[in-house]
Amino acid sequence: MMDLRFEYDQEMSNLVKTRQKLSSLADSEDDSAWAKYMSIERKQKRRIRFLVATMNEMLEEKKERDAAHSTSMKLKEHRRSMSVDSGVSALKQTEKTVRSC
């Protein structure tokens, strides 16, 4: 995840540089250079959207794993408390039986 974040930061930095170059070319007569940088900008935007989508997908998967783990831990705790409760009630029942004899 950190690698993706680093890559995203790099792409954003590159996009800023590309846009600065485009703004400097806006007044020039060099249409081919302007078209080249527009193409680069489109590719960078696509890459950034891909990175964002990938990071969002990874976050969703992490949330799902965390939720499943939390549910599993709650279930284990519930089972543990149930077995303790049933052991205590069985002990009380045995105690009542012994007293009645």
Side-chain angles (χ1 to χ4, degrees):
M1 182 72 153
M2 293 304 292
D3 292 337
L4 288 176
R5 181 64 193 184
F6 176 75
E7 197 172 339
Y8 170 81
D9 290 342
Q10 287 271 351
E11 287 294 331
M12 289 301 287
S13 175
N14 292 340
L15 182 61
V16 168
K17 291 174 188 172
T18 301
R19 287 184 173 169
Q20 288 171 344
K21 185 68 174 174
L22 277 170
S23 68
S24 71
L25 290 172
D27 296 332
S28 81
E29 298 291 323
D30 192 0
D31 290 338
S32 65
W34 191 81
K36 174 185 165 189
Y37 280 96
M38 282 300 294
S39 173
I40 291 170
E41 181 191 38
R42 282 192 299 275
K43 288 176 187 175
Q44 289 170 333
K45 285 180 177 178
R46 251 192 320 265
R47 180 70 181 151
I48 289 168
R49 282 193 300 271
F50 169 76
L51 290 170
V52 168
T54 303
M55 286 189 288
N56 285 339
E57 188 175 302
M58 290 174 74
L59 284 173
E60 282 299 316
E61 289 172 359
K62 183 180 180 332
K63 285 180 186 176
E64 289 172 6
R65 282 193 311 270
D66 290 350
H69 178 72
S70 175
T71 302
S72 173
M73 294 307 289
K74 287 178 184 175
L75 184 57
K76 285 179 184 177
E77 184 60 33
H78 177 70
R79 285 183 191 150
R80 192 175 300 124
S81 70
M82 291 300 289
S83 65
V84 168
D85 290 346
S86 64
V88 169
S89 63
L91 184 60
K92 286 181 180 178
Q93 184 62 39
T94 305
E95 188 177 303
K96 285 181 185 177
T97 306
V98 169
R99 285 189 182 166
S100 65
C101 292

